[in-house]
Amino acid sequence: MPDISLTTLLFLCLAAAAAGWIDAVVGGGGLLLLPALLLGLPGVQAAQILGTNKAVAIVGTSGAAITYVRKAPVSVRTAVRIGLAALAGSMGGAFFAAGISSDVLRPVIMVVLLGVAAFVMLRPAFGTGADDGKKPVTRARTVTAIVLVGGGIGFYDGLFGPGTGTFLVLALTAVLHLDLVTASATAKIVNVCTNAGALAMFAYQGTVMWQLAALMAVFNLAGAMFGARMALRKGSEFVRGVLLVVVFSLVAKLAFDQWTA
């Protein structure tokens, strides 16, 4: 693990807690956690950033998944089937991620951040309810969810990661006609699988900073548990403003770093 100042360590732990909270409520905690690691550890290789990010995220995601499953209606069987496809996809993505540099990673993350921000701004009702939860789900839609949602988003999660939870919620709502609470619960189970697959590959490659990850994971878990309970209790409309502020702030910072690099 690189030599990290106390200020940087505190920044990373707070970012992990906030990321866990955002991920549990609306998904997309990686939009905060991964850029925070890039900003806090500018001299660390991208593969180590990605590996450490997964080691932190899987703890908070697992805690949120358990909280959701206890309270929200969710088909664990369907979620696990999608999750297994996602696990395979994430391992493939993590394999290719080993050769990616931070100089390539920053602009990609900026594009993803701006895309998510645009979607949230254009869809004011995002995360506040659902209008198609009673539509029937065909076998073809289930297969589509397993192959495209599981395998496709799983590959993306292993390769880059930020926004995976949000993309899963959107895709599951569109493909399986789930309401957003159920989609969030299902997404957490799937996300645990993608994180596990990617983490296994990063661990095999020796690109996880375990000591730092263990400390950040404690904060990420606390934020995720609190966020899941808050989402179940009062919804996630209030998170939209916070998410947009965080996204645009990070885009501005990453753009500045890329410009001055």
Side-chain angles (χ1 to χ4, degrees), residues 117-129 131 170 173 237 240:
F119 179 86
V120 173
M121 293 178 68
L122 293 172
R123 294 290 300 273
F126 171 66
T128 62
D131 55 9
L170 296 176
T173 301
E237 171 63 21
R240 291 181 70 254

Side-chain angles (χ1 to χ4, degrees), residues 128-143:
T128 62
D131 55 9
D132 58 358
K134 295 183 179 180
K135 292 183 180 180
V137 178
T138 63
R139 180 179 178 83
R141 283 185 174 274
T142 302
V143 173

Side-chain angles (χ1 to χ4, degrees), residues 51 54 87 90-91 94 154 157-159 193-203:
K54 289 302 171 197
L87 188 150
S90 67
M91 291 184 72
D157 189 41
L159 187 63
C193 294
T194 64
N195 285 338
L199 179 58
M201 182 60 67
F202 284 124

